[in-house]
Amino acid sequence: MEKLWSKTKIGKMELPHRLAMAPMTRSRAQEDGTPGEDASLYYAQRASMGLIITEGAQPSDDGQGYLWSPGIYTEKHIEGWRKVTDAVHGAGGYMYIQLMHAGRMSHPDNTPHHRQPVAPSPIAPGVEMFTATGMQDIPVPHELSKEDIQTTIADFRKAAAAAIAAGADGVEIHGANGYLINQFIGESSNTRTDEYGGSIENRARFAIEVARAIVDEIGAERTGFRISPGTPLGGIQDGEQGPELYRYLVQELAQLDLAYLHIMHLGNEELLRDIRSLWTNPLLVNRAGRALEDLSADIDSGLADLVPVGVWSLANPDLVERLQKGAPLNEADQATFFGHGSKGYTDYPTMNELASQER
């Protein structure tokens, strides 16, 4: 893992190694979307990861999908996130706030205004959503008008500005995993006949316009973008044109000179190599189910510049030190991934804490 521990630069950040903390939904925000009381401790505990990409934060009331997810569009949100970024910076880390609009992956019971979810087309994802009263079918979403689309892009822009006002080093645009931007990309979720649907260029248009607006607002060096080619989350199917669409999208995003591109990779190695050749700026590759011994493989081969790590960093606040020393890792408690309280959130022990308990 020698290359894994080499320094690198992304945007304005001087990073100590090639690991990053991947974004993970934790559902511990306050009811109004302000980060929870333990969020500062949780993220600061993991500051040695270098770059921390936060859980998804909705850019508007419409953007909320899950209960107790954080927002980044009100003054209270900004004040709450400022405590988090201050704690992470004080511990020596960097933080990008992920901007996540859930689109149709929502339920009226989960949002502040209790309105119908929104999407590029009135097509339900065909899955259930957890609500305060239990699991419920996600309803057919409201189709965004052209005016609605422009309002949504403006919401992303405002949220990016709010993230910087909150002290974040940048933002990651969540264009993956079945959420709104991915819904515009997906063939099965976008049946529009206007300039936002149909052709490859049209289905990629919303993603590109969101990225341009955010770059215009906070600068390319503070903007990352996440994609998940071929990932069938939320009922999304890319269709036969999927790989070509992502090649086109990456080419267009590359012209914006973004800080990084983050790929949730599920196995199309040819497409990954093509994206690597099209994208000259830093590339983050997150392979689901990757074995620990393969952690640095994409760095060693030149496919990736950074390796985002999810569950291992969730369960091991001192993951970097453990890996460097070859120490055993804490096991993650899946029962506490989501929900309230510090259990399974801020109470995972470090090596030093375990050693003290044994003495």
Side-chain angles (χ1 to χ4, degrees):
M1 295 189 181
E2 183 177 345
K3 287 185 179 180
L4 194 66
W5 306 122
S6 62
K7 296 179 180 180
T8 190
K9 183 176 181 180
I10 291 185
K12 295 184 176 181
M13 301 177 293
E14 299 284 348
L15 300 175
H17 49 68
R18 303 305 183 98
L19 291 174
M21 181 173 165
M24 290 171 286
T25 299
R26 301 309 311 271
S27 299
R28 283 172 167 85
Q30 298 175 35
E31 192 169 341
D32 69 350
T34 302
E37 292 182 2
D38 290 336
S40 297
L41 176 59
Y42 168 70
Y43 284 115
Q45 285 175 333
R46 289 152 181 82
S48 62
M49 291 297 293
L51 170 59
I52 290 174
I53 308 169
T54 74
E55 61 206 288
Q58 57 262 13
S60 64
D61 288 353
D62 280 345
Q64 183 167 0
Y66 305 108
L67 290 172
W68 310 303
S69 59
I72 184 62
Y73 58 97
T74 72
E75 287 301 320
K76 285 196 68 176
H77 296 161
I78 292 172
E79 292 171 9
W81 278 113
R82 169 64 75 173
K83 296 176 183 177
V84 180
T85 60
D86 283 350
V88 169
H89 292 154
Y94 295 95
M95 173 166 281
Y96 268 44
I97 293 177
Q98 188 189 68
L99 305 183
M100 176 184 134
H101 192 305
R104 71 181 190 177
M105 293 300 294
S106 182
H107 192 281
D109 288 358
N110 290 357
T111 62
H113 53 31
H114 304 300
R115 292 208 299 255
Q116 188 180 6
V118 299
S121 299
I123 303 170
V127 297
E128 293 183 320
M129 169 66 67
F130 179 78
T131 71
T133 57
M135 300 300 292
Q136 297 190 53
D137 289 333
I138 293 178
V140 173
H142 164 73
E143 179 175 293
L144 292 166
S145 67
K146 291 182 184 180
E147 183 179 355
D148 293 334
I149 288 173
Q150 295 309 309
T151 299
T152 303
I153 293 170
D155 288 339
F156 271 102
R157 177 193 281 263
K158 177 184 174 183
I164 300 304
D169 298 287
V171 302
E172 177 178 282
I173 303 165
H174 199 346
N177 295 10
Y179 300 119
L180 183 63
I181 292 175
N182 196 187
Q183 291 159 28
F184 273 90
I185 291 171
E187 184 179 78
S188 62
S189 51
N190 183 351
T191 57
R192 301 177 72 98
T193 57
D194 61 10
E195 63 266 39
Y196 290 96
S199 69
I200 283 175
E201 294 79 8
N202 285 355
R203 283 159 53 199
R205 189 181 306 279
F206 180 70
I208 295 165
E209 290 185 353
V210 168
R212 285 176 178 160
I214 290 176
V215 166
D216 182 62
E217 185 68 33
I218 65 172
E221 73 281 1
R222 289 175 169 161
T223 306
F225 200 104
R226 193 184 201 200
I227 59 175
S228 57
T231 302
L233 293 173
I236 300 290
Q237 298 293 333
D238 292 339
E240 292 183 4
Q241 291 182 309
E244 197 56 38
L245 187 153
Y246 277 102
R247 291 182 181 96
Y248 169 78
L249 175 61
V250 169
Q251 283 181 307
E252 293 298 305
L253 293 177
Q255 294 181 34
L256 300 179
D257 197 30
L258 304 183
Y260 68 77
L261 181 68
H262 180 182
I263 300 178
M264 188 68 184
H265 182 61
L266 286 185
N268 188 333
E269 297 301 325
E270 180 183 0
L271 179 59
L272 177 58
R273 289 192 297 271
D274 288 347
I275 289 174
R276 171 74 280 184
S277 67
L278 293 168
W279 188 265
T280 56
N281 281 1
L283 185 66
L284 283 62
V285 178
N286 189 333
R287 289 181 183 264
R290 169 179 43 203
L292 191 63
E293 57 266 26
D294 296 330
L295 195 57
S296 66
D298 289 329
I299 301 291
D300 296 336
S301 70
L303 275 176
D305 299 289
L306 232 67
V307 177
V309 177
V311 173
W312 288 323
S313 60
L314 178 156
N316 297 273
D318 57 345
L319 179 66
V320 170
E321 186 179 2
R322 287 175 185 258
L323 291 176
Q324 289 175 334
K325 294 184 176 180
L329 304 183
N330 296 326
E331 289 191 16
D333 178 10
Q334 294 190 24
T336 58
F337 278 3
F338 315 109
H340 296 292
S342 61
K343 183 173 176 57
Y345 191 52
T346 58
D347 62 347
Y348 283 105
T350 64
M351 288 192 302
N352 291 338
E353 289 169 343
L354 288 171
S356 297
Q357 293 171 10
E358 293 172 357
R359 285 200 293 267

